[in-house]
Amino acid sequence: LVAQKMSEHWGQPVVIENRTGASGILGTAAVAKATADGYTLLVSSSSFAIAAAMQPRLPYDPHKDFVGISRIGFSTSVVAVTPSLGVKTLPQFIELARARPGKILFSSAGAGSSTHLNGEKLRLAAGFKPVHVAFKGSSDAMIEVVAGRVHYVVTGLLVMMPYIKDGRLNALAVVTPNRTPLLPDVPTVGETLPGYKRDGSHVMLAPAGTPMPVREKLSAEVRRILMLPDVQDRMKNFDYVLSPSTPTEMDQILRSDIQTFTEVAVAAGLRPK
């Protein structure tokens, strides 16, 4: 969507090249080696910060080889539980989980995935001890909770909404700064756990050395596009939170995300201190 609008406005083709493999590391490495002239950019999800936190030996330096253009935004994640637990609110769930150490199961899309780290971050913030169960993807992780074989999951609202609407999942809290209009009665995690915030987002980065005037021009264009009424309307249908930033703000966001995910990974025993 951004590429199309950018191309129309500037009259230049903007080509998207999907580089799959190693959770985005191969594509990221290609951009790290590109000429720092603003013509080759990286758009990535929270996988960039998670890879930096989980893998000390990457084919690039996440701190030194990239500079920020703009944050794009983030999807809405939800803490959802199986109705068989009998809890309706996040405080009730936390109280139950604290009383059953090692008995509550949470699912994820695999070890080291964003759903895994989000689940770990929640249990660290709330002070209970669940057991992690990894699956092949977010859909599998969610279906296990729907079936009642696993107790909770923290993943995207879009895929869970049909199950929340028909009562096969109980939505306890959203992992966003504010409540979502799609579930206006569901509080944020921060309302129960003050200071809890979402980490990780979709970002646009450039190779280190890209001149600041170029970065600022690209950032301004991203912001212009994300503020267009038709873009905002379209993203609301996906409950996607648009949140553009300046290049300097993007640098700070990235450092903060890497630090937070690293702390969670260490605390959860996923990597050494």
Side-chain angles (χ1 to χ4, degrees):
L1 185 60
V2 171
Q4 178 186 351
K5 298 284 188 181
M6 190 179 289
S7 180
E8 291 171 355
H9 187 222
W10 283 348
Q12 298 289 338
V14 179
V15 180
I16 297 175
E17 182 180 354
N18 292 309
R19 289 283 189 100
T20 59
S23 299
I25 292 174
L26 295 183
T28 303
V31 177
K33 299 173 183 177
T35 303
D37 55 8
Y39 283 90
T40 303
L41 308 171
L42 174 70
V43 174
S44 183
S45 66
S46 56
S47 61
F48 182 95
I50 290 173
M54 295 287 294
Q55 303 189 43
R57 295 182 180 179
L58 291 168
Y60 54 84
D61 188 321
H63 295 279
K64 297 180 180 180
D65 290 344
F66 293 91
V67 290
I69 298 295
S70 176
R71 178 168 61 185
I72 296 172
F74 46 85
S75 56
T76 298
S77 292
V78 182
V79 181
V81 301
T82 176
S84 62
L85 271 185
V87 297
K88 299 292 186 180
T89 68
L90 185 58
Q92 289 176 354
F93 171 66
I94 292 172
E95 182 180 2
L96 178 69
R98 287 173 178 171
R100 298 183 185 178
K103 303 289 179 138
I104 299 296
L105 310 179
F106 82 92
S107 59
S108 80
S113 65
S114 60
T115 51
H116 181 197
L117 292 185
N118 284 335
E120 294 285 0
K121 184 182 177 187
L122 177 66
R123 68 95 173 172
L124 290 168
F128 60 89
K129 296 181 180 179
V131 175
H132 171 232
V133 186
F135 294 94
K136 293 182 179 179
S138 297
S139 295
D140 291 339
M142 177 196 64
I143 291 299
E144 293 299 315
V145 181
V146 173
R149 290 185 288 268
V150 179
H151 297 111
Y152 79 98
V153 66
V154 184
T155 192
L157 170 59
L158 196 61
V159 295
M160 289 201 286
M161 183 61 88
Y163 301 96
I164 294 171
K165 285 185 175 181
D166 67 14
R168 287 189 283 172
L169 285 175
N170 287 347
L172 303 185
V174 292
V175 190
T176 44
N178 304 300
R179 295 191 183 195
T180 168
L182 296 184
L183 295 173
D185 296 328
V186 177
T188 68
V189 175
E191 291 178 52
T192 299
L193 302 171
Y196 191 100
K197 64 182 181 67
R198 180 192 170 89
D199 299 287
S201 52
H202 293 97
V203 300
M204 181 180 287
L205 308 175
T210 302
M212 181 56 82
V214 174
R215 294 166 60 192
E216 289 175 339
K217 182 176 181 180
L218 288 164
S219 178
E221 177 65 0
V222 171
R223 178 179 292 274
R224 182 193 71 81
I225 292 169
L226 297 186
M227 293 298 102
L228 292 173
D230 64 318
V231 174
Q232 298 215 340
D233 288 342
R234 184 172 177 182
M235 290 298 100
K236 285 179 183 177
N237 294 330
F238 296 100
D239 203 37
Y240 189 87
V241 181
L242 295 168
S243 183
S245 71
T246 67
T248 301
E249 289 169 343
M250 184 63 254
D251 289 337
Q252 295 169 347
I253 290 166
L254 202 59
R255 285 195 296 270
S256 176
D257 283 348
I258 292 173
Q259 179 180 346
T260 299
F261 281 125
T262 300
E263 291 172 353
V264 172
V266 171
L270 301 175
R271 62 165 288 174
K273 292 184 180 180

